Amino acid sequence: MTEATRRERLRAETEREIRQAARALLVESGRDAVTLRAIARKLGITAPALYRYYDSHDALLRQLCDDICADMAAALYADLAADTSGQVGCKVRAVCHAFRRWALAHPQEFALVFASPRDPLGADQFGSVFLQLAGPLIASNEDANHVHEEVPAVLHEDLVRFQQVLRDAVAEHGVTLADEVLNLGKIYHVVQSWVRLYGHVALEVFGRFPFAVSNPEPMFDSMLDQMLSDIGFDEG
Amino acid sequence: MTEATRRERLRAETEREIRQAARALLVESGRDAVTLRAIARKLGITAPALYRYYDSHDALLRQLCDDICADMAAALYADLAADTSGQVGCKVRAVCHAFRRWALAHPQEFALVFASPRDPLGADQFGSVFLQLAGPLIASNEDANHVHEEVPAVLHEDLVRFQQVLRDAVAEHGVTLADEVLNLGKIYHVVQSWVRLYGHVALEVFGRFPFAVSNPEPMFDSMLDQMLSDIGFDEG
DNA sequence: CGGTTTCAGTGAACGGTGTTTACAAGAGTT
DNA sequence: AACTCTTGTAAACACCGTTCACTGAAACCG
């Protein structure tokens, strides 16, 4: 049984409906359609009532971003779990494909979360998703630590910091990483992989490839091949 | 002297002021601040007057996108011309740096043009900029055609089409390209370079790197090094 | 020159938006 | 039963895109 009082249950229910309505409006008609009055209309209430739940329209949009990130994370985890091959390379590939698939299926959400020149947005949420996914995957790839190139010294400071962030993320899963498996060269390639992954997906979602690509999926696959090879995963 | 009548001159002047006001609003306060009424206020006229110049708010935004693309193109050309080293690799590097610098200096414009899930937007404008820049640069790099890797057969169709687009773009400059210098492997790397260039710049502008990068420029430089090496330019 | 057309700009209006305020009415508490 | 806390309302304000009837001056023409 729920410990919450009747009022608390009703409030939670209304808040859920608000988020749901906001999400539906975003998906159906884009960011500009996520209007306090439109949301209220969907719930059969008036706009000012929403101020009992959110301080402003902006705050509601921020919440929407967090919800989107959480949903995306769930989708990525699901696709990751669906990959039953023991191979780590396959898992990485599965997650990357899931990210592309999610972005193409949710262009409005993608644009809101990943392409707004705003301060925090869903930054925290997303960062954790990336770390939760990338960290353990890299960690589990112990046998492919032959990547040991030198990276420019100027990058060391940032890469060491990211190394620590990754180590902490993995530690929450109860795994400890050796410097050998998580060397700076690999860290660098992880960042570069995120650049390419994001670049391809954003270009595809926003239609900004320099020419019409009839079927971008093979190009994405080809890019993944090189990414995985760069990062030190065996082909497969 | 101008052939235009007095009325035509005044109209052109007003139109220029409209674009200028719209641009200022975008830069100062973001996309949502580019309002017909706010523009009119800046010109000392009323909002409906703007309908004598643009069919709708949307049409005005589209024009704004075109203006931004044109300005960016001018900035890139200027930075390209400023590079007096004869080396093609240096020119490519200069243009890439110019693109990053422009994006960081104009985040709102970048977001509007490059990160909206809309149909054409400034697509034509931008595409031409990319082609005008990339085509001649690749063409002039005749001695570095040692890149001749195999690309997946599924990509051939698209790459051949892009090859033709590039060839046409270069032809307008009076240069004819041999298949040897513009082979599919190189074409593929050009596309991949655009993915990485766009990915890095967008991530930096939108603050979506998975960790705080204290000084992204060296990372950008490092990426350029690999890009140029992939594409077949000599180090320099 | 006088008459007519063209056209940039106005003011009022409509329905939409975020937000604030004062107020009502029910739920929970004592 | 009396009181408080919470959730909603209605009205209002200022802003938005857009339309429409209208004005006044510039441009054109006989």
Side-chain angles (χ1 to χ4, degrees), chain A residues 1-13:
Chain A
M1 275 305 176
T2 66
E3 289 288 342
T5 70
R6 171 183 148 83
R7 258 226 280 252
E8 280 167 336
R9 267 185 293 114
L10 285 180
R11 182 179 179 84
E13 171 70 13

Side-chain angles (χ1 to χ4, degrees), chain B residues 97-136:
Chain B
H97 270 121
F99 179 62
R100 170 171 177 268
R101 209 176 311 121
W102 182 89
L104 290 174
H106 306 82
Q108 302 286 0
E109 287 102 315
F110 180 83
L112 185 63
V113 172
F114 287 98
S116 301
R118 300 170 63 179
D119 332 293
L121 222 55
D124 294 344
Q125 270 283 354
F126 166 71
S128 88
V129 174
F130 185 82
L131 293 176
Q132 298 296 323
L133 287 172

